[in-house]
Amino acid sequence: MDIENRKSKTRRIREWFKRKNRRADAYQRNEVSDDSEDDSLDDDLVGSLEIDPCIFTNELRIFVGTWNVAGRSPVGSLAVDVNEWLNLKDAADMYVLGFQEIVPLKTKNVIGVEDPTEATNWNLLIGKTLNDKYGCPWLTPMLNPISSENYHFVRFPGLGRRASFGGHSGFTGPELSKAQHAYGGSKYKLMASKKMVGVFISVWMNKEFLTKYCISDVKVSSVACGIMGYLGNKGSVSVSMSIEGTSFCFIAAHLASGEKRGDEGRRNHQVSEIFRRTSFPPSSEDDDNPHPITIPGHDRIFWFGDLNYRLYQDNILAKEFIKKQDWKALQEFDQLRKELEDGGVFEGWREGNIEFAPTYKYSSANCNRYTAGLPGRSGEKQRAPAWCDRILWYGKGVRQLSYFRSESKFSDHRPVSALFSIPIEVMKVTNPRKVFPTGTFLPMSSGKLEPIDSKGGARSTLLSLISKESV
């Protein structure tokens, strides 16, 4: 009878987490759902865990940025531009950066073997910018990628939850070999990185945040939907992860170009393909809790990149609105705005108010003039101005704090970024020394990770010593 009671309680606990995360039904129906079931956890179930749980809400600040760099490699002088783009005066807990065209979209790059060089160079520049800002030394690059054996997981007894600290989960790749660093010294850690031809995503997290919260199930996915519908000159790279009880999905995309009427249909089709083909399949390292498999199965979703939506407007009138800085009037002709409305491919999604000039297409002559109307330069395309570079989101509780463009003249696009505040529910264990098995790692009140020995007390390990030294 006792065995049956324990099994029943375990099932009820798992069902509670399913409702809390709102995932299981969502990815089966391929839509984001809002459960209205009771979210309370019975007192007898709490007691059965033999811990003293306390659920509270914290705010997570996420910086999301997108930049089409026009096939140019990062150079040392670009550090000033990256610093301005990342807006480090108002530092975030997490930086999610999407790039397009980090390599020229030539045939050899599109159909050839992936070369991680440019992704590595961008990661090194991003890491240096993030960490130098706070006086943290940028450590010597590692020669070999960190393997799964180097992850440090936190498991909550009876719940099978885990967190990875100072690493990424579910994949390794040569593009990470020079950008993944040891524990000491740096303030921000590279959590995930993925490249597909010219589309690239890089996710960084504050190390202090890593020591306080449970980060789990970091996975990546890529969808190529360019030439013939399956080449990587266009498409997306995505990262999925869970922070405590909230699942996040970040999609960096580069959609079809073209400003002729009807070209938006190709972009809409690629959006549908990315929704349909992006997948985060279960792995052998997953715990027993349900994890989102598709994009809509996540609680909070961010879609950003060179989405290439243009203006239903001729160039002369568009430039008149730009001259007057009448962004509201100009947005009436914006293709993406139409897709955010009822019946559009992004119906139900949100975007902040656009209070900046169109981000494309600027002259390659390192100036602030749009190419439209300029005398034709050899090999330079003439394009009407448009807000090609955008950041969208889906999910409850997301609050956008800022939405702006930067003024780097590095490419024919201007980088765009947004800062978000997102509530996350955290379950803290208020009595972590109570009947925990040997070897369990828990965030203590000090924010450090301390293991529990066979007598229920904390013992020093290399991880705890490094954590103390690097503060």
Side-chain angles (χ1 to χ4, degrees), residues 202-214:
S202 184
V203 179
W204 298 74
M205 191 169 286
N206 188 313
K207 190 179 69 174
E208 293 179 6
F209 190 89
L210 281 171
T211 61
K212 292 179 181 178
Y213 302 106
C214 177

PDB file of all heavy atoms in Angstrom, residues 202-214:
ATOM      1  N   SER A 202      24.412  33.155 -30.704  1.00  0.00           N
ATOM      2  CA  SER A 202      25.365  33.053 -29.600  1.00  0.00           C
ATOM      3  C   SER A 202      24.653  33.490 -28.320  1.00  0.00           C
ATOM      4  O   SER A 202      24.103  34.590 -28.256  1.00  0.00           O
ATOM      5  CB  SER A 202      26.573  33.958 -29.874  1.00  0.00           C
ATOM      6  OG  SER A 202      27.556  33.827 -28.875  1.00  0.00           O
ATOM      7  N   VAL A 203      24.649  32.627 -27.299  1.00  0.00           N
ATOM      8  CA  VAL A 203      23.903  32.875 -26.060  1.00  0.00           C
ATOM      9  C   VAL A 203      24.878  32.907 -24.886  1.00  0.00           C
ATOM     10  O   VAL A 203      25.625  31.947 -24.659  1.00  0.00           O
ATOM     11  CB  VAL A 203      22.833  31.790 -25.817  1.00  0.00           C
ATOM     12  CG1 VAL A 203      22.086  32.057 -24.514  1.00  0.00           C
ATOM     13  CG2 VAL A 203      21.865  31.713 -26.991  1.00  0.00           C
ATOM     14  N   TRP A 204      24.859  33.998 -24.130  1.00  0.00           N
ATOM     15  CA  TRP A 204      25.748  34.199 -22.992  1.00  0.00           C
ATOM     16  C   TRP A 204      24.928  34.471 -21.738  1.00  0.00           C
ATOM     17  O   TRP A 204      23.870  35.095 -21.800  1.00  0.00           O
ATOM     18  CB  TRP A 204      26.678  35.392 -23.255  1.00  0.00           C
ATOM     19  CG  TRP A 204      27.578  35.195 -24.434  1.00  0.00           C
ATOM     20  CD1 TRP A 204      27.220  35.241 -25.767  1.00  0.00           C
ATOM     21  CD2 TRP A 204      28.970  34.906 -24.411  1.00  0.00           C
ATOM     22  NE1 TRP A 204      28.311  35.004 -26.556  1.00  0.00           N
ATOM     23  CE2 TRP A 204      29.403  34.798 -25.757  1.00  0.00           C
ATOM     24  CE3 TRP A 204      29.896  34.733 -23.389  1.00  0.00           C
ATOM     25  CZ2 TRP A 204      30.727  34.525 -26.091  1.00  0.00           C
ATOM     26  CZ3 TRP A 204      31.217  34.465 -23.721  1.00  0.00           C
ATOM     27  CH2 TRP A 204      31.624  34.353 -25.057  1.00  0.00           C
ATOM     28  N   MET A 205      25.461  34.027 -20.599  1.00  0.00           N
ATOM     29  CA  MET A 205      24.736  34.212 -19.343  1.00  0.00           C
ATOM     30  C   MET A 205      25.696  34.656 -18.239  1.00  0.00           C
ATOM     31  O   MET A 205      26.842  34.201 -18.153  1.00  0.00           O
ATOM     32  CB  MET A 205      24.035  32.915 -18.936  1.00  0.00           C
ATOM     33  CG  MET A 205      23.053  33.076 -17.784  1.00  0.00           C
ATOM     34  SD  MET A 205      22.026  31.603 -17.535  1.00  0.00           S
ATOM     35  CE  MET A 205      20.902  31.744 -18.935  1.00  0.00           C
ATOM     36  N   ASN A 206      25.198  35.550 -17.395  1.00  0.00           N
ATOM     37  CA  ASN A 206      25.964  36.023 -16.253  1.00  0.00           C
ATOM     38  C   ASN A 206      26.274  34.849 -15.319  1.00  0.00           C
ATOM     39  O   ASN A 206      25.389  34.076 -14.959  1.00  0.00           O
ATOM     40  CB  ASN A 206      25.139  37.088 -15.516  1.00  0.00           C
ATOM     41  CG  ASN A 206      25.924  37.785 -14.430  1.00  0.00           C
ATOM     42  OD1 ASN A 206      26.600  37.153 -13.628  1.00  0.00           O
ATOM     43  ND2 ASN A 206      25.818  39.104 -14.390  1.00  0.00           N
ATOM     44  N   LYS A 207      27.520  34.722 -14.916  1.00  0.00           N
ATOM     45  CA  LYS A 207      27.927  33.587 -14.091  1.00  0.00           C
ATOM     46  C   LYS A 207      27.223  33.578 -12.737  1.00  0.00           C
ATOM     47  O   LYS A 207      26.906  32.515 -12.193  1.00  0.00           O
ATOM     48  CB  LYS A 207      29.446  33.598 -13.885  1.00  0.00           C
ATOM     49  CG  LYS A 207      29.963  32.316 -13.234  1.00  0.00           C
ATOM     50  CD  LYS A 207      31.471  32.344 -13.077  1.00  0.00           C
ATOM     51  CE  LYS A 207      31.898  33.356 -12.056  1.00  0.00           C
ATOM     52  NZ  LYS A 207      33.354  33.302 -11.795  1.00  0.00           N
ATOM     53  N   GLU A 208      26.942  34.758 -12.191  1.00  0.00           N
ATOM     54  CA  GLU A 208      26.227  34.816 -10.916  1.00  0.00           C
ATOM     55  C   GLU A 208      24.819  34.240 -11.068  1.00  0.00           C
ATOM     56  O   GLU A 208      24.302  33.588 -10.166  1.00  0.00           O
ATOM     57  CB  GLU A 208      26.158  36.267 -10.428  1.00  0.00           C
ATOM     58  CG  GLU A 208      27.510  36.855 -10.039  1.00  0.00           C
ATOM     59  CD  GLU A 208      27.385  38.294  -9.601  1.00  0.00           C
ATOM     60  OE1 GLU A 208      26.231  38.778  -9.493  1.00  0.00           O
ATOM     61  OE2 GLU A 208      28.430  38.937  -9.368  1.00  0.00           O
ATOM     62  N   PHE A 209      24.195  34.484 -12.214  1.00  0.00           N
ATOM     63  CA  PHE A 209      22.875  33.927 -12.478  1.00  0.00           C
ATOM     64  C   PHE A 209      22.945  32.405 -12.544  1.00  0.00           C
ATOM     65  O   PHE A 209      22.059  31.698 -12.063  1.00  0.00           O
ATOM     66  CB  PHE A 209      22.343  34.497 -13.798  1.00  0.00           C
ATOM     67  CG  PHE A 209      20.902  34.181 -14.068  1.00  0.00           C
ATOM     68  CD1 PHE A 209      19.902  35.019 -13.605  1.00  0.00           C
ATOM     69  CD2 PHE A 209      20.545  33.051 -14.787  1.00  0.00           C
ATOM     70  CE1 PHE A 209      18.567  34.729 -13.846  1.00  0.00           C
ATOM     71  CE2 PHE A 209      19.218  32.752 -15.036  1.00  0.00           C
ATOM     72  CZ  PHE A 209      18.228  33.594 -14.561  1.00  0.00           C
ATOM     73  N   LEU A 210      24.029  31.896 -13.124  1.00  0.00           N
ATOM     74  CA  LEU A 210      24.200  30.444 -13.246  1.00  0.00           C
ATOM     75  C   LEU A 210      24.290  29.764 -11.895  1.00  0.00           C
ATOM     76  O   LEU A 210      23.852  28.622 -11.744  1.00  0.00           O
ATOM     77  CB  LEU A 210      25.465  30.135 -14.048  1.00  0.00           C
ATOM     78  CG  LEU A 210      25.357  30.252 -15.572  1.00  0.00           C
ATOM     79  CD1 LEU A 210      26.742  30.139 -16.189  1.00  0.00           C
ATOM     80  CD2 LEU A 210      24.445  29.187 -16.126  1.00  0.00           C
ATOM     81  N   THR A 211      24.898  30.434 -10.921  1.00  0.00           N
ATOM     82  CA  THR A 211      25.066  29.811  -9.609  1.00  0.00           C
ATOM     83  C   THR A 211      23.807  29.878  -8.758  1.00  0.00           C
ATOM     84  O   THR A 211      23.728  29.213  -7.735  1.00  0.00           O
ATOM     85  CB  THR A 211      26.228  30.473  -8.834  1.00  0.00           C
ATOM     86  OG1 THR A 211      25.927  31.854  -8.640  1.00  0.00           O
ATOM     87  CG2 THR A 211      27.535  30.333  -9.591  1.00  0.00           C
ATOM     88  N   LYS A 212      22.832  30.667  -9.174  1.00  0.00           N
ATOM     89  CA  LYS A 212      21.618  30.845  -8.377  1.00  0.00           C
ATOM     90  C   LYS A 212      20.426  30.050  -8.887  1.00  0.00           C
ATOM     91  O   LYS A 212      19.529  29.711  -8.124  1.00  0.00           O
ATOM     92  CB  LYS A 212      21.240  32.328  -8.324  1.00  0.00           C
ATOM     93  CG  LYS A 212      22.219  33.197  -7.544  1.00  0.00           C
ATOM     94  CD  LYS A 212      21.769  34.651  -7.562  1.00  0.00           C
ATOM     95  CE  LYS A 212      22.751  35.535  -6.810  1.00  0.00           C
ATOM     96  NZ  LYS A 212      22.338  36.960  -6.870  1.00  0.00           N
ATOM     97  N   TYR A 213      20.398  29.786 -10.198  1.00  0.00           N
ATOM     98  CA  TYR A 213      19.197  29.202 -10.790  1.00  0.00           C
ATOM     99  C   TYR A 213      19.496  27.916 -11.537  1.00  0.00           C
ATOM    100  O   TYR A 213      20.621  27.655 -11.950  1.00  0.00           O
ATOM    101  CB  TYR A 213      18.524  30.214 -11.727  1.00  0.00           C
ATOM    102  CG  TYR A 213      18.160  31.497 -11.032  1.00  0.00           C
ATOM    103  CD1 TYR A 213      18.890  32.655 -11.258  1.00  0.00           C
ATOM    104  CD2 TYR A 213      17.107  31.539 -10.118  1.00  0.00           C
ATOM    105  CE1 TYR A 213      18.573  33.833 -10.596  1.00  0.00           C
ATOM    106  CE2 TYR A 213      16.788  32.713  -9.452  1.00  0.00           C
ATOM    107  CZ  TYR A 213      17.525  33.856  -9.702  1.00  0.00           C
ATOM    108  OH  TYR A 213      17.206  35.006  -9.041  1.00  0.00           O
ATOM    109  N   CYS A 214      18.434  27.155 -11.725  1.00  0.00           N
ATOM    110  CA  CYS A 214      18.544  25.864 -12.397  1.00  0.00           C
ATOM    111  C   CYS A 214      18.398  26.073 -13.908  1.00  0.00           C
ATOM    112  O   CYS A 214      17.335  26.435 -14.396  1.00  0.00           O
ATOM    113  CB  CYS A 214      17.444  24.938 -11.880  1.00  0.00           C
ATOM    114  SG  CYS A 214      17.399  23.329 -12.673  1.00  0.00           S
TER     115      CYS A 214
END
